[in-house]
Amino acid sequence: MKRWAGFIGILSFVAAGCGQGGPLPATPPPPEVEGMATAAEADTIRMNDINLYLHDTRTTTSAAHKPTFWLHADTFSVLDEQVWAIEDARAVVYNRQTNVEEMVLEGKRGRFEQNVGAYLKDGVKAYLGDTVIHLEDMEWVHPQDETTKGVAFTDHPLKVENPKIKLQADSLRLYPDTKEFEMTDVSGVVYFGK
């Protein structure tokens, strides 16, 4: 019994001495394990196969407007009340006057913001008839009123290809309703004739 009392006395003396040098160092975080979700990711709602829509914002006295933008994502997660992270997405932009499909977009990742637009990146392709545009990313800004045009744009390099055109450019602004586009620092080949 005396041995234990002496051992406890020495242990309490050592413990008291260790405490005078300041607080103990923080326990290091556990090492990152590939595929391990963080606490924030564990709380995120993830779902598969969702369709998201943006509608024409112009005022009307008749029935509700048809969607002018439709996006399908294989996987999505909620980032905010009105913002969703999306993966493996395909989107369609419709002409506001004719409701005709004007442009199809595909991308590996991105986000969708309710009533605002969408952003796609990683392997993005835009299809306009027989024209394919290869992009790093593309953002769709939905028209907010009667006076603004919807615009798809990127400020990163892109390639435009169809049977008669092979172009490279540094940026792009595309207006599907008016079938207009603007590019900067353009180079390439346009084939004339048959």
Side-chain angles (χ1 to χ4, degrees), residues 170-189:
D170 283 349
S171 70
L172 170 71
R173 300 287 181 274
L174 193 99
Y175 305 95
D177 283 343
T178 56
K179 301 181 193 272
E180 299 173 314
F181 64 93
E182 302 166 0
M183 293 188 288
T184 60
D185 294 323
V186 183
S187 64
V189 178

Side-chain angles (χ1 to χ4, degrees), residues 66-190:
K66 291 183 179 180
T68 55
F69 182 87
W70 163 76
L71 182 137
H72 175 84
D74 286 351
T75 306
F76 83 103
S77 55
V78 178
L79 298 177
D80 194 336
E81 284 184 26
Q82 298 189 0
V83 182
W84 296 271
I86 53 178
E87 294 177 20
D88 298 317
R90 183 176 196 274
V92 177
V93 178
Y94 297 94
N95 186 300
R96 284 198 294 175
Q97 281 72 38
T98 64
N99 291 324
V100 172
E101 181 181 299
E102 292 291 345
M103 177 173 54
V104 176
L105 300 168
E106 294 177 349
K108 298 283 184 203
R109 295 186 301 137
R111 71 176 180 277
F112 177 91
E113 188 169 352
Q114 186 176 337
N115 300 322
V116 175
Y119 172 76
L120 296 175
K121 66 180 183 175
D122 298 340
V124 176
K125 292 181 183 174
Y127 300 93
L128 298 105
D130 63 353
T131 300
V132 180
I133 306 173
H134 302 271
L135 310 118
E136 289 181 29
D137 66 349
M138 181 170 262
E139 186 160 357
W140 168 252
V141 178
H142 197 64
Q144 297 301 308
D145 55 39
E146 290 88 354
T147 62
T148 58
K149 296 184 208 176
V151 60
F153 73 92
T154 184
D155 290 322
H156 295 102
L158 60 122
K159 292 181 182 177
V160 180
E161 296 179 349
N162 78 18
K164 296 186 177 184
I165 297 174
K166 302 251 187 275
L167 301 174
Q168 295 86 38
D170 283 349
S171 70
L172 170 71
R173 300 287 181 274
L174 193 99
Y175 305 95
D177 283 343
T178 56
K179 301 181 193 272
E180 299 173 314
F181 64 93
E182 302 166 0
M183 293 188 288
T184 60
D185 294 323
V186 183
S187 64
V189 178
V190 176

